């Protein structure tokens, strides 16, 4: 049997949970195929999403210029510093569902004169008893000029989501004009100057609606394809090729919702296939949910494994949509933009006003590692990905409550995986005894190791990231570099002896990566992956 055949057959057996366990050594194995590049890992795979939802904008990002909380032009300084550290590549704003109820005109001009509106989320059951505040009644203090200030401070590219449900193509056109028309050229350019920026913002990424099958208008895919055409035809581009992102499916564990992708693409290409050229990316949302009682911090061992299993479903969702897109967009001009993803628990929130502000644990850090590795392994299919959401929200990298602030374990995974950016993802094959567990009465199986690898040709460097999901067993693993040889290396490991570990305002360093030299050389070496860990190996190649 040839090597590839052996690998694929043993992997298929392991995936099916029928691998002869006793026949497998306790060791795992990883093979990295240097001559099988998958695609470039765009920095944009590590984007974030910030919605006017709960404490994400007000208190999370925006504390106000006169606040005693250290800020830069009203924006929380501790957050800016951390985002500079992690080099946030792109941020999506203002929603989410909020986007399709938002009038961008409310968020420009003098802040004191901006109208107060009911926030899209104000009537959510969880907020009925919560005190009123900017989370319920949108003061519009944070609008386009403030979001652009946030982007300029952090270095992130802006990605706007436009309102398709309740505004018109003309409003969209004029938001583009407000942002991008040359200095002094139009009434809106003069308004932008009065708001603080004479020069255009040159916003490239424009989402055309959000979840248009649901909160974004309850459209059918065919209806939405008509809207997409109306909104994107002949928008003034001011010398840029605007990147329009179509509203894509909301996938779930049970259903990838390929019907939406297929219907939308068919609708768009019905009379003129060339219209697909207007679309840069198709958005895809996948929240991997929660387990058991829905708590982000109180779960049992089956809940630990099940959560990781649910995160891994992303690995099958991406190719399903890619195949459906390819039926019509045969040269794959349009790429996927996974602009909402993460674990979505039910509680506990850090403050009753801050909807969905769950403290993430080490388990969510592993969800992040699994997901970012999945993106790397599908690099050729993706243009951008945005974790939902940046701060005080669903799959959050930061928690903030007035003058208190902490990074979460999720932040550290983004910080570690930054090393992959700009590299070429390589074919990565892992094999390790699978894990059997019982969740809600059903026997289930999870793989024993997973990860990704990227080659950085100029630096002669290989970056390997691996998740070991076993809660209490380390995994000694033989690593083979096919077509390269290691000279030296460094390891960064994120783990904790308690799988529930998390960072709190009082103890912000509980989950923190450690660094150590890695004794790696030649084209074969072994590495022991700690239990419940995310590991990065940075390998200098000979
Ligand atoms: O991120 C929270 C919400 O989840 C977004 O507003 C919406 O797009 C999705 O359903």
């Amino acid at each position: 049997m040839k090597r590839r055949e052996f690998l694929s057959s043993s992997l298929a057996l392991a995936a099916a949970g029928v691998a002869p366990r006793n026949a497998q050594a306790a060791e795992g194995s990883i093979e990295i195929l240097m001559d099988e590049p998958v695609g470039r890992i765009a920095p944009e795979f590590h984007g974030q999403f910030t919605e006017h939802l709960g404490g994400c904008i007000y208190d999370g990002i925006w504390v106000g210029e006169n606040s005693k909380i250290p800020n830069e032009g009203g924006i929380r300084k501790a957050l800016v510093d951390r985002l500079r550290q992690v080099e946030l590549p792109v941020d999506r704003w203002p929603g989410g569902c909020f986007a399709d109820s938002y009038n961008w005109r409310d968020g420009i001009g003098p802040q004191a004169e901006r109208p107060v509106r009911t926030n899209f989320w104000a009537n959510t059951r969880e907020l009925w008893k919560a005190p009123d505040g900017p989370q319920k009644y949108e003061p519009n203090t944070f609008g386009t000029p403030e979001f652009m200030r946030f982007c300029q401070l952090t270095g992130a590219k802006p990605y706007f989501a436009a309102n398709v449900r309740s505004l018109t193509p003309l409003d969209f056109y004029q938001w583009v004009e407000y942002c991008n028309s040359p200095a002094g050229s139009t009434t809106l350019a003069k308004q932008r100057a009065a708001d603080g920026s004479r020069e255009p913002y040159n916003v490239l990424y424009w989402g055309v609606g959000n979840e248009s099958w649901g909160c974004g208008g309850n459209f059918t895919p065919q209806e939405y394809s008509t809207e997409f055409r109306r909104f994107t035809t002949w928008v003034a581009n001011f010398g840029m090729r605007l990147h329009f992102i179509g509203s894509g499916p909301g996938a779930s564990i049970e259903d990838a919702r390929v019907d939406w992708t297929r219907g939308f693409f068919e609708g768009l290409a019905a009379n003129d296939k060339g219209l697909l050229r207007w679309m840069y990316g198709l958005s895809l949302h996948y929240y991997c949910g929660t387990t058991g009682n829905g708590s982000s911090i109180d779960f049992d061992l089956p809940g630990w494994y099940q959560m990781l299993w649910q995160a891994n479903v992303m690995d099958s969702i991406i190719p399903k949509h890619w195949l459906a897109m390819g039926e019509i967009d045969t040269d794959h001009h349009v790429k996927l933009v996974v602009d909402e993803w993460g674990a979505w628990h039910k509680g506990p929130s850090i403050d009753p006003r801050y909807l969905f502000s769950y403290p993430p644990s080490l388990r969510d850090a592993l969800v992040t590692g699994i997901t970012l590795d999945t993106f790397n392994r599908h690099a050729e299919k993706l243009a951008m990905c945005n974790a939902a959401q940046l701060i005080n929200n669903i799959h959050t990298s930061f928690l903030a409550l007035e003058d208190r602030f902490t990074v979460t374990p999720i932040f550290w995974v983004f910080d570690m995986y930054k090393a992959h950016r700009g590299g070429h993802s390589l074919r990565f094959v892992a094999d390790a005894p699978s894990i059997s567990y019982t969740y809600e009465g059903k026997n289930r199986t999870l793989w024993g190791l997973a990860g990704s690898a990227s080659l950085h040709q100029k630096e002669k460097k290989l970056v390997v990231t691996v998740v070991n999901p076993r809660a209490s067993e380390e995994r000694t693993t033989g690593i083979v570099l096919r077509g390269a040889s290691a000279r030296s290396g460094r390891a960064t490991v994120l783990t904790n002896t308690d799988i529930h570990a998390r960072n709190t305002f009082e103890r912000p360093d509980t989950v923190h990566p450690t660094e150590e030299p890695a004794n790696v050389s030649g084209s074969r070496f072994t590495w022991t992956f700690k239990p419940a860990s995310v590991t990065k190996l940075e390998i200098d190649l000979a």
Side-chain angles (χ1 to χ4, degrees):
M1 193 186 261
K2 288 195 188 117
R3 179 180 59 84
R4 294 302 299 273
E5 285 168 0
F6 165 75
L7 279 171
S8 53
S9 68
S10 61
L11 282 174
L13 285 169
V18 294
R21 272 151 206 253
N22 296 339
Q24 283 183 331
E27 320 297 319
S29 72
I30 289 175
E31 251 199 299
I32 297 164
L33 309 178
M34 308 297 292
D35 59 355
E36 289 195 35
V38 175
R40 178 172 176 269
I41 299 173
E44 288 76 14
F45 291 7
H46 297 172
Q48 291 282 346
F49 168 42
T50 47
E51 178 167 4
H52 289 241
L53 196 183
C56 181
I57 300 293
Y58 298 107
D59 200 19
I61 297 179
W62 181 258
V63 295
E65 272 139 325
N66 301 322
S67 170
K68 64 179 183 353
I69 300 165
N71 68 84
E72 294 193 32
I75 294 167
R76 186 182 284 274
K77 185 172 178 327
L79 176 67
V80 171
D81 291 345
R82 285 300 194 180
L83 291 177
R84 285 184 183 147
Q85 173 187 339
V86 79
E87 296 168 31
L88 177 65
V90 59
D91 189 52
R92 177 175 182 245
W93 174 83
C97 293
F98 176 84
D100 278 290
S101 65
Y102 179 63
N103 188 340
W104 64 271
R105 290 173 200 276
D106 291 346
I108 61 169
Q111 283 172 322
E113 292 169 23
R114 297 184 192 171
V116 177
R117 309 277 188 209
T118 308
N119 183 289
F120 171 88
W121 297 95
N123 294 307
T124 311
R125 176 180 285 273
E126 291 97 316
L127 291 185
W128 286 357
K129 292 194 181 134
D132 290 347
Q135 294 79 22
K136 275 192 182 177
Y137 298 103
E138 172 61 54
N140 284 299
T141 323
F142 191 90
T144 302
E146 291 74 24
F147 176 66
M148 288 309 305
R149 191 182 307 160
F150 168 75
C151 289
Q152 284 152 2
L153 285 171
T154 57
K157 291 184 206 156
Y159 166 17
F160 283 53
N163 181 342
V164 168
R165 170 166 60 82
S166 53
L167 289 183
T168 66
L170 181 64
D171 294 294
F172 175 52
Y173 185 98
Q174 291 183 343
W175 199 9
V176 176
E177 187 175 81
Y178 174 81
C179 291
N180 292 356
S181 59
S185 64
T186 63
T187 303
L188 284 169
K190 288 178 190 153
Q191 175 67 56
R192 186 187 64 226
D195 292 344
S197 183
R198 198 180 128 69
E199 294 309 315
Y201 294 134
N202 294 332
V203 177
L204 188 64
Y205 299 112
W206 292 91
V208 182
N210 169 76
E211 299 195 346
S212 301
W213 40 265
C215 62
N218 280 325
F219 294 112
T220 65
Q222 288 72 21
E223 286 166 347
Y224 175 67
S225 66
T226 306
E227 294 303 318
F228 185 86
R229 273 200 297 272
R230 271 164 30 90
F231 273 72
T232 56
T233 304
W234 296 111
V235 178
N237 58 28
F238 305 108
M240 301 167 76
R241 188 168 171 85
L242 298 179
H243 288 0
F244 295 126
I245 292 151
S247 174
S252 67
I253 296 168
E254 297 80 28
D255 187 351
R257 296 307 310 268
V258 176
D259 53 329
W260 174 271
T261 296
R262 199 170 272 128
F264 173 36
F265 271 49
E266 279 167 3
L268 206 55
N271 300 323
D272 179 358
K273 213 173 156 192
L275 286 174
L276 279 165
R277 294 264 149 208
W278 289 107
M279 189 165 30
Y280 170 76
L282 174 74
S283 124
L284 165 66
H285 293 179
Y286 173 60
Y287 288 98
C288 59
T290 186
T291 62
N293 61 9
S295 167
S296 64
I297 52 177
D298 174 22
F299 48 85
D300 57 13
L301 192 57
W304 161 271
Y305 288 124
Q306 178 62 17
M307 189 76 249
L308 306 184
W309 183 92
Q310 289 170 196
N312 190 58
V313 174
M314 181 75 89
D315 192 47
S316 61
I317 292 173
I318 291 172
K320 280 180 190 157
H321 288 281
W322 187 246
L323 282 174
M325 290 154 74
E327 288 166 16
I328 293 159
D329 180 23
T330 44
D331 59 354
H332 277 303
H333 161 77
V334 182
K335 301 277 191 284
L336 282 163
V337 172
V338 187
D339 56 15
E340 289 186 30
W341 66 268
W344 191 334
H345 304 289
K346 293 187 186 146
S349 280
I350 60 161
D351 186 282
R353 295 165 299 169
Y354 300 174
L355 192 59
F356 311 146
S357 57
Y358 324 121
S361 73
L362 179 66
R363 182 173 66 155
D364 298 301
L366 268 75
V367 166
T368 310
I370 289 169
T371 306
L372 296 185
D373 283 329
T374 301
F375 294 157
N376 288 351
R377 294 195 306 272
H378 292 285
E380 83 285 15
K381 308 178 185 78
L382 303 171
M384 191 201 300
C385 310
N386 309 72
Q389 302 190 7
L390 179 75
I391 179 163
N392 283 350
N393 219 269
I394 298 164
H395 191 79
T396 199
S397 286
F398 308 96
L399 292 171
L401 193 52
E402 287 143 18
D403 58 353
R404 292 179 287 166
F405 177 84
T406 182
V407 304
T408 72
I410 292 172
F411 167 82
W412 288 118
V413 180
F414 276 100
D415 196 50
M416 287 165 69
Y417 278 57
K418 191 172 76 180
H420 276 301
R421 295 183 196 166
H424 265 84
S425 176
L426 299 171
R427 191 75 56 207
F428 177 101
V429 186
D431 194 13
S434 52
I435 300 163
S436 295
Y437 64 99
T438 306
Y439 178 76
E440 292 183 343
K442 281 198 191 142
N443 294 333
R444 293 167 188 264
T445 313
L446 176 67
W447 40 255
L449 279 180
S452 68
S454 63
L455 176 64
H456 303 256
Q457 199 93 49
K458 229 163 88 197
E459 298 90 342
K460 289 187 89 177
K461 196 174 85 172
L462 182 68
V463 178
V464 181
T465 44
V466 175
V467 170
N468 176 9
R470 280 197 190 261
S472 52
E473 261 177 67
E474 60 184 27
R475 179 67 53 219
T476 298
T477 303
I479 301 181
V480 180
L481 311 184
R482 296 264 171 220
S485 179
R487 197 160 44 83
S488 57
R490 298 158 299 288
T492 311
V493 183
L494 187 75
T495 186
N496 196 282
T497 47
D498 178 5
I499 57 172
H500 306 94
R502 64 187 166 109
N503 295 339
T504 60
F505 296 130
E506 295 71 33
R507 306 188 65 174
D509 290 324
T510 307
V511 185
H512 189 282
T514 54
E515 292 184 14
E516 52 188 278
N519 186 14
V520 296
S521 69
S523 54
R524 286 166 185 270
F525 48 86
T526 59
W527 186 262
T528 300
F529 294 101
K530 297 220 164 77
S533 66
V534 182
T535 300
K536 172 177 68 173
L537 296 174
E538 288 179 276
I539 299 169
D540 304 309
L541 297 175

